[in-house]
């Protein structure tokens, strides 16, 4: 195992985190907040440890899947630990487990919070919370691949370990160029949303924070009522962008290349939009009596469907008060998730399509034992390794869900609270139901349960296996 390249990558991550913390420092200067000194201290610590780890370039920059997975999982853990320091140093989140929970929730774009009064935080801390969504949305390692020249032909392992979905493809032959294209699209869409919100009369600070959350499909609110207090037209803008950020970014690249037919024939995109459309119609009908007009019911239904399926987690109303049909549908959407290759979490629509096609293939085999039927996506055969990976992912996913619910049940809260808390964190959504609903938070859990949920957030963002490999004894054996 190439330890030196892992060390070098970790050092680079800390140096980049230090650079990214200059933005909340600027916010602190603008609003004249003393909390900004917590970022200065953290920047110095990041630089010190970063240069210590990366001052000596590795003799070999070639690495394989194990090094890629370890680099990604350790980077996210380190990123979260140092990202939690401003909360602690400023004293705005004094408990260690709470500060770490908030930081992990931010970077993994989960949006679950332990805070009971978000509006009590200073602007620079609020900005950092939301900015962690944007950093984690596309992935810090993808960002490093875009700007950091690294030799060796195995950098794809970093992107595979960090990017969501059953398979990851390069848009262009070079990995670095692929990363630059992805971040270019990501940044352009974020800026467009900020501009539209500002033009729509949203305060500039709010527009940045809300856009960071929507882009990273994170959902940290800067108001205690999340998005409920904003004007309806601003909620519509956020709804549209949440859904757009849940689309596979390869689609946007194909559109930019004017390959419209190839872009819009995507089975995953059709299924994703179909699920959203059907869910909005069902939910609008189900909640029509909760609002004065059908149009208002439609707006709230569209917002919550877009927020939950993309795992953003913003809310315009307390959907925990809605009828059981709507709440059950939202719970299903929590597990469904967005498209592969997007910033959204969940199981992913592409995995569900592959699983459905696998069931169909097995039924065909029972009826026609000698028949041969291949699983195809977008007209192309799906590799056996991909189908196998999807099945193993689902098994691991179910085991982690069950075990996590069992562990946090020690706190003796209701099953709805425990199950939806695990669903909300493992799928990187944010709010759950009952005592962790959209107007509640996660402060009620014990430190042990918060650690379990922190693990779930990291596992969900990293698609399980890059984090699970840390606990495999064979990982640490010398070859």
């Amino acid at each position: 195992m190439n330890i030196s390249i892992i060390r070098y990558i970790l050092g680079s991550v800390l140096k980049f985190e230090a650079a990214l913390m200059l933005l909340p420092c600027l916010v602190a200067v603008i609003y004249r907040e003393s909390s900004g000194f917590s970022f200065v201290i953290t920047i110095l610590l990041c630089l010190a440890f970063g240069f210590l780890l990366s001052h000596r370039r590795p003799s070999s920059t070639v690495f394989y899947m194990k090094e890629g997975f370890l680099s990604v999982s350790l980077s996210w853990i380190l990123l979260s630990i140092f990202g939690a320091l401003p909360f602690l140093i400023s004293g705005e989140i004094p408990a260690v487990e709470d500060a770490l929970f908030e930081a992990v929730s931010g970077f993994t774009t989960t949006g679950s919070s332990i805070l009971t009064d978000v509006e009590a935080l200073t602007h620079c801390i609020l900005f950092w919370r939301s900015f962690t969504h944007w950093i984690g949305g596309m992935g810090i390692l993808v960002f490093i691949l875009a700007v950091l020249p690294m030799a060796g032909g195995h950098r794809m392992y970093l992107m595979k370990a960090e990017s969501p979905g059953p398979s990851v493809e390069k848009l262009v032959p070079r990995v670095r160029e692929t990363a630059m294209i992805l971040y270019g699209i990501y940044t352009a869409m974020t800026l467009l949303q900020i501009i539209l919100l500002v033009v729509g009369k949203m305060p500039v600070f709010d527009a940045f924070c809300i856009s960071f959350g929507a882009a990273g499909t994170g959902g940290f609110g800067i108001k205690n009522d999340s998005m409920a207090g904003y004007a309806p037209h601003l909620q519509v803008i956020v709804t549209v962008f949440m859904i757009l950020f849940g689309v596979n970014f390869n689609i946007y690249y194909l559109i930019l290349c004017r390959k419209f037919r190839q872009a819009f024939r995507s089975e995953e995109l059709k299924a994703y939009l179909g699920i959203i459309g059907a869910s909005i119609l069902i939910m609008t009908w189900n909640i029509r009596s909760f609002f004065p007009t059908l149009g208002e019911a439609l707006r709230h239904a569209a917002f919550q469907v877009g927020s939950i399926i993309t795992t953003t987690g913003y809310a315009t109303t307390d959907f925990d008060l809605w009828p059981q049909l709507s709440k059950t549908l939202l719970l299903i959407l929590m597990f469904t998730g967005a498209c592969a290759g997007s910033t959204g979490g969940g199981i992913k629509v592409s995995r569900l399509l592959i699983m459905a096609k696998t069931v169909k293939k097995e039924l065909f085999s029972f009826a026609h034992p000698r028949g041969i039927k291949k699983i195809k996506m977008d007209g192309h055969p799906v590799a056996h390794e991909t189908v196998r990976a999807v099945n193993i992912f689902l098994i691991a996913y179910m085991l982690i869900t069950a075990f996590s619910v069992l562990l946090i049940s020690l706190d003796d809260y209701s099953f709805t609270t425990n199950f939806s808390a695990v669903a909300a964190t493992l799928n990187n959504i944010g709010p759950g139901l009952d005592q962790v609903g959209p107007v509640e938070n996660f402060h009620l859990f014990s430190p042990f349960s918060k650690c379990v949920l922190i693990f779930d957030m990291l596992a969900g963002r990293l698609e399980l296996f890059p984090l699970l490999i840390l606990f495999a004894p064979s990982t640490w054996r010398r070859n």
Side-chain angles (χ1 to χ4, degrees), residues 81-129:
I81 291 171
F82 280 85
L85 291 180
F87 300 141
L88 281 170
I89 296 171
S90 66
E92 300 202 29
I93 305 180
V96 174
E97 69 276 6
D98 287 347
L100 186 60
F101 185 98
E102 204 76 7
V104 171
S105 182
F107 284 115
T108 59
T109 71
T110 303
S112 301
S113 180
I114 49 79
L115 295 170
T116 55
D117 185 9
V118 174
E119 295 178 39
L121 298 179
T122 54
H123 288 84
C124 61
I125 293 293
L126 281 174
F127 184 90
W128 176 240
R129 284 175 78 242

Side-chain angles (χ1 to χ4, degrees), residues 9-10 12 45 49 107 121 158 213 273 316 338 352 392 466 477:
I9 290 171
L10 293 178
S12 300
L45 290 172
F49 283 96
F107 284 115
L121 298 179
L158 283 178
L273 295 177
T316 56
L352 294 175
I392 294 173
R477 291 183 192 139

